[in-house]
Amino acid sequence: MVATFLIIIGYNDRYCNVRQRFVHSHFATSQNFTKTLKALNTIAPDMMVKPSIGIPAKIQESTRFNPFFKDCIEAIDGTHISTMVPGREVSSFRNHYGIQSHNVLAACNFDLQFMYVLSRWEGSAHDSKLLNDALSRRNGLHMPQGKYFLVDCGFSNRRQFLAPLRGVRYHLKDFGGQDRHPRNASGLFNLCHASLRNVIERIFVVFKSQFTIFKTAPPFPFQTQPELVLACTGLHNFLQKECHSDEFPAEYEKDQDSPHLDMEEENLE
């Protein structure tokens, strides 16, 4: 049952291929997939990493970030996952690219582990709307006192949420190339902010590469698709914790470690 589930979500394989491999009927394959999904959704919330009250190693060990970001313990952002919905709901699930999707809000730490996930919102919903929903839930998004999230320009500065400075270059690619280094305190702040917050972009790339079922619209009813997201985030955390030898390919680090941004610590200071 577990093997059937992992093949489907990891390789985006279809029931017809899986049932031939395991010599099961279509009904049995479907039942096994559903049972495994329900079981994973039961334990996935407990597999989310809890917020830490200490200073993350990534910040503590770097003069670029410490002590300026010492109270930051995670980053938060939204990502779109393709979906299929009934015809009457297509318009509300069409995102700004014109593609049907549902918007997923996620928070992660600097060790590429998910700390919170909220899905089921339509693709046209703004990230700030998802954030308000996450904060209002009884078992929603919570942060230890005195700590904060890093967010992008799609969110506003508010208590426990730190956004970049507006009107100043922000994205890492904006600082790449000759004579593109920050020239003032505002630019330096945004560069350091973007370098730290980039972890949420990286985890989305890793997540969708691990579970290729999300690279296209999963062939399941919409109510099943948010359950798939939660189950796979739990599996991702399990892999990060238990499979120590399973290193991610170098391309996942390319935005973080771009040679154009390879500036010396004293120059940044």
Side-chain angles (χ1 to χ4, degrees):
M1 291 170 64
V2 173
T4 297
F5 184 85
L6 293 177
I7 289 172
I8 292 173
I9 64 171
Y11 296 97
N12 196 20
D13 213 346
R14 295 297 185 262
Y15 281 174
C16 59
N17 296 327
V18 175
R19 73 186 185 190
Q20 291 176 3
R21 174 177 295 190
F22 292 100
V23 197
H24 286 163
S25 67
H26 184 94
F27 177 78
T29 303
S30 175
Q31 287 290 96
N32 290 343
F33 182 89
T34 301
K35 288 178 181 178
T36 307
L37 177 61
K38 298 296 182 185
L40 280 172
N41 270 270
T42 301
I43 63 175
D46 295 327
M47 299 172 76
M48 297 295 110
V49 178
K50 301 297 185 293
S52 171
I53 59 174
I55 302 176
K58 181 179 179 65
I59 296 176
Q60 190 171 29
E61 296 170 1
S62 173
T63 55
R64 294 177 61 189
F65 308 126
N66 189 26
F68 317 109
F69 294 92
K70 63 182 178 62
D71 292 323
C72 171
I73 59 175
E74 57 189 279
I76 190 169
D77 201 3
T79 188
H80 288 265
I81 294 179
S82 298
T83 187
M84 293 187 298
V85 294
R88 63 182 180 277
E89 299 180 7
V90 167
S91 59
S92 62
F93 278 86
R94 186 173 287 116
N95 59 31
H96 57 285
Y97 293 111
I99 301 172
Q100 295 178 46
S101 68
H102 69 278
N103 200 350
V104 177
L105 184 77
C108 75
N109 62 14
F110 298 109
D111 295 320
L112 286 177
Q113 296 173 313
F114 286 104
M115 305 181 76
Y116 180 80
V117 174
L118 173 66
S119 59
R120 206 177 292 275
W121 275 91
E122 59 269 19
S124 60
H126 195 273
D127 288 347
S128 59
K129 190 173 184 179
L130 275 70
L131 179 58
N132 290 333
D133 182 26
L135 294 172
S136 64
R137 292 174 177 254
R138 184 172 62 87
N139 295 322
L141 186 63
H142 298 291
M143 177 69 77
Q145 191 68 26
K147 302 296 182 178
Y148 61 84
F149 299 88
L150 290 180
V151 296
D152 66 8
C153 297
F155 301 88
S156 58
N157 267 315
R158 54 196 293 185
R159 185 170 175 266
Q160 294 192 302
F161 295 93
L162 180 63
L165 298 172
R166 297 181 182 274
V168 182
R169 283 183 298 162
Y170 175 65
H171 297 288
L172 289 180
K173 62 181 180 181
D174 295 336
F175 294 97
Q178 189 175 6
D179 297 327
R180 300 288 289 173
H181 295 177
R183 299 182 180 277
N184 52 44
S186 298
L188 178 58
F189 171 81
N190 273 11
L191 173 58
C192 292
H193 186 289
S195 297
L196 273 179
R197 200 200 63 85
N198 191 49
V199 68
I200 191 70
E201 307 292 347
R202 290 170 55 210
I203 199 172
F204 287 145
V205 172
V206 171
F207 179 75
K208 292 178 181 179
S209 297
Q210 283 178 320
F211 307 109
T212 59
I213 193 171
F214 297 121
K215 291 200 170 183
T216 58
F220 298 101
F222 176 72
Q223 58 267 26
T224 302
Q225 295 176 41
E227 295 177 355
L228 273 174
V229 173
L230 178 60
C232 290
T233 53
L235 282 174
H236 169 89
N237 281 2
F238 174 82
L239 292 171
Q240 280 288 89
K241 181 180 179 181
E242 302 295 338
C243 301
H244 303 292
S245 62
D246 189 12
E247 298 180 357
F248 295 119
E251 62 261 25
Y252 296 141
E253 308 281 347
K254 64 183 179 182
D255 290 336
Q256 186 80 356
D257 300 323
S258 172
H260 297 302
L261 300 177
D262 189 18
M263 295 173 281
E264 301 196 7
E265 299 288 328
E266 57 267 24
N267 289 341
L268 279 173
E269 290 175 345

